[in-house]
Structure formats: structure tokens, C-alpha cells
Amino acid sequence: MLATVARVRSRGPSSAPESEETHHGGPGGSVLTLLGLFLHHVGIEVAAGQWSYSVITESRKMGEVAAGIWVALYWGGLTGGRLALGLIGDRIGPRTVLHFSMVGSVVGSAVFWWNPAGAGVVGLAVLGISLAGVFPILVALTPNWVGEERAPVVIGYQIAAAAAGSAIFAVAAESRPSVRYMSPSAGA
């Protein structure tokens, strides 16, 4: 997440048109950074959605139906946030959306992990809404970073990196030794 903020701050124009000043780096550095962002971001999206159900039911002993509703709220937040971004995103600006996304995702993750008074599931819903804008904004800003000519190819690689991230992070999340060690409120 911090890499996304750094990328947008250092190289990403808020809404500037394509120009010589908007894209940086040689053929490898800028593209590799973007691929890494997509791999990690989508990996986090998918792992949070899949792993959270196990945490909620196994570690926090919530019923299956209630856990399913909270995980559905995560995915619903992710989807609804993207739909809302499509409707009003042009009025907010990509930097603002990304900054709120980063803050919200850190807060949502922290609340889910900490689970104060059993309310950690609220953090999961916040996380879904917060992550919603990152993927589409990074795709939309790619031509500004790599140039119009390279953008279609780079975006294809970004989508491939996103798919790889979803697989890698999902497998890593499911290969954990035990979900009871994943939060401070889980107990012994």
C-alpha cells in the first residue's frame, strides 16, 4: 500500500494529460514497479476475502451464516466502491481516492486484526470499500506513467501480475499454520 502512495506522489499526475513530463523511467523500472503494485494489491484483495472467513469462523468462533454475511460485505464493499468510483470518481481525483484508500485500508486491516470487543468484522467491510479504487485508478494512470504507446502492453502485463498475485496470496493465506495466531484478540 505504501508503494502505491509513493508511486502516485512521485510519478503520478493527479489528472494531468499525457506529456513528456508525466512518464518516468526506462523500459524496465517503471513497468516493474507497476507490476509489483498489481501483484500485491490484487493478492491482498483476494487473500483478505478468502482468508477472513476462516479467521472469523475458526479463530473468532462466529457462526457460519454471520461470517458469510461479513465476508459478503467485504466483497460487496469492493464491488460497490468500484461502481461508486465510476459514477463520481472524476469529481474526486485519483490522488484523493488513493490517499483515502490507503488510510482506509490500513484502518480497516488494523480493526479487523485487533478485533476490539468482537467488532473486527466492521474493519473487514471498511477494507473492502477502501481497496475498491486502487486497481481501476492504477490502470487509468498507467498511460501517464509509461506513455500512450506502451500502455496497452503494460496494462496487459498488469492484469497478468494481478492474476498471479491473486493465486500466490490465496495459497499463502491458506497455508498458514493456524488462524488463531493471526490476531492479538484470538487468545491461546
Side-chain angles (χ1 to χ4, degrees):
M1 293 298 165
L2 294 175
T4 303
V5 172
R7 174 72 179 170
V8 171
R9 282 184 165 232
S10 69
R11 298 184 179 178
S14 58
S15 59
E18 164 68 40
S19 72
E20 290 300 315
E21 291 80 32
T22 59
H23 51 91
H24 299 277
S30 181
V31 173
L32 291 177
T33 301
L34 288 170
L35 296 181
L37 289 174
F38 275 80
L39 184 136
H40 285 91
H41 175 73
V42 174
I44 289 167
E45 280 184 2
V46 171
Q50 292 179 345
W51 172 72
S52 59
Y53 182 82
S54 297
V55 171
I56 296 169
T57 57
E58 293 176 27
S59 174
R60 300 183 182 169
K61 307 299 182 207
M62 184 179 282
E64 292 177 357
V65 172
I69 290 169
W70 282 105
V71 173
L73 285 172
Y74 166 80
W75 289 111
L78 193 64
T79 303
R82 287 188 176 150
L83 291 172
L85 183 63
L87 295 173
I88 63 168
D90 59 333
R91 290 177 248 163
I92 299 171
R95 282 189 181 188
T96 303
V97 172
L98 286 175
H99 287 154
F100 280 109
S101 293
M102 297 305 110
V103 170
S105 63
V106 169
V107 169
S109 297
V111 169
F112 182 71
W113 178 72
W114 180 33
N115 195 31
V121 289
V122 174
L124 185 62
V126 170
L127 180 62
I129 293 168
S130 298
L131 292 174
V134 178
F135 184 94
I137 287 175
L138 291 179
V139 170
L141 291 177
T142 297
N144 295 341
W145 291 324
V146 301
E148 291 289 333
E149 295 102 31
R150 293 175 63 199
V153 172
V154 172
I155 290 170
Y157 286 130
Q158 289 170 334
I159 303 306
S166 68
I168 292 166
F169 278 61
V171 168
E174 287 304 315
S175 65
R176 83 267 181 233
S178 174
V179 294
R180 64 188 176 103
Y181 300 109
M182 297 298 180
S183 72
S185 62

